[in-house]
């Protein structure tokens, strides 16, 4: 981490800054001074954003939990070596994304080694609603759904992608991530969902599946 954070510390960050990057920088400085509270607050604010970043790379739920936890542990481990606290936000996001890539790649490699053996016997023990035909229908519906999500305007794609990744999305985090006023998130989400419902209703593949 220290190799990426190479600029001198700006002592002005000890004042009241603005934005998530400044909050992360102040949390690092406070932690070094013996006050862990700002870092704990940063974890609460940023974890949903890191979760979305990791899940967007294809990581599963348990993988995402482990990756996000490990990112925070790595930050604490390296916190004394950080030369530019202003780079902390970018580092956590990049670290989370790279860790997710590695985890997803390993999972796919492991799955490829076992799929051929499992496919030959899984129908013997699978519940009725998880038999290959039922699973194929479910997978097709998922494909149609995400095809229609990708057809939405970019603003809708980004918003729905972010709020779909957490059970209770923090609108302050969504606002930071998308540059959108907190008060407009709910109405915009409603309009985007209405567009998605209309697109699905007009899609014959969705109606049939």
């Amino acid at each position: 981490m220290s190799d990426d954070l190479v600029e001198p510390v700006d002592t002005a960050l000890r004042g009241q800054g603005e934005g998530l990057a400044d909050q992360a920088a102040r949390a690092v400085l406070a932690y070094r001074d013996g006050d862990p509270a700002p870092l704990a607050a940063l974890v609460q604010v940023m974890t949903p954003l890191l979760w979305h970043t990791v899940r967007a790379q294809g990581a599963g739920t348990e993988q995402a939990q482990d990756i996000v936890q490990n990112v925070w542990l790595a930050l604490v481990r390296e916190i004394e070596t950080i030369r530019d606290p202003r780079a902390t936000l970018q580092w956590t996001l990049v670290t989370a994304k790279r860790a997710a890539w590695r985890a997803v790649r390993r999972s796919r490699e492991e799955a490829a080694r076992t799929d051929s053996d499992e496919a030959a016997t899984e129908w013997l023990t699978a519940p009725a609603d998880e038999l290959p035909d039922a699973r194929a229908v479910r997978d097709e519906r998922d494909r149609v759904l995400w095809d229609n999500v990708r057809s939405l305007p970019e603003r809708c794609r980004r918003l729905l992608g972010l709020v779909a990744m957490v059970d209770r999305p923090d609108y302050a985090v969504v606002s930071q991530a998308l540059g959108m006023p907190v008060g407009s998130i709910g109405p915009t989400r409603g309009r985007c969902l209405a567009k998605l419902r209309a697109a699905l209703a007009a899609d014959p593949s969705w109606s049939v599946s």
Side-chain angles (χ1 to χ4, degrees), residues 1-2 32 73-82 91:
M1 182 174 183
S2 57
R32 287 174 172 176
L73 291 175
L75 175 62
V76 171
R77 235 181 1 251
E78 302 287 343
I79 203 164
E80 295 297 335
T81 67
I82 298 173
W91 179 87

Side-chain angles (χ1 to χ4, degrees), residues 5 20 26 43 46 68 72 76 99 116 118 128 130 163 170 172 175:
L5 310 180
L20 200 53
R26 289 196 304 275
V43 170
M46 273 196 61
V68 171
W72 291 122
V76 171
S116 58
E118 291 178 353
E130 284 298 312
V163 300
D170 185 329
S175 174

Side-chain angles (χ1 to χ4, degrees), residues 136-149 151 193-209:
V137 170
R138 184 194 62 198
D139 291 346
E140 176 63 13
R141 285 181 66 86
D142 288 347
R143 183 194 65 78
V144 173
L145 171 63
W146 287 107
D147 281 350
N148 279 276
V149 170
S151 73
L193 288 173
K195 290 180 181 179
L196 178 59
R197 284 193 294 268
L200 290 171
D203 190 325
S205 299
W206 179 260
S207 302
V208 172
S209 59

Side-chain angles (χ1 to χ4, degrees), residues 59 63 67 98-108:
Q63 282 180 323
I67 290 168
R98 289 176 177 172
W101 288 343
R102 291 192 295 269
V104 170
R105 185 175 65 248
R106 284 196 302 268
S107 295
R108 288 174 178 169

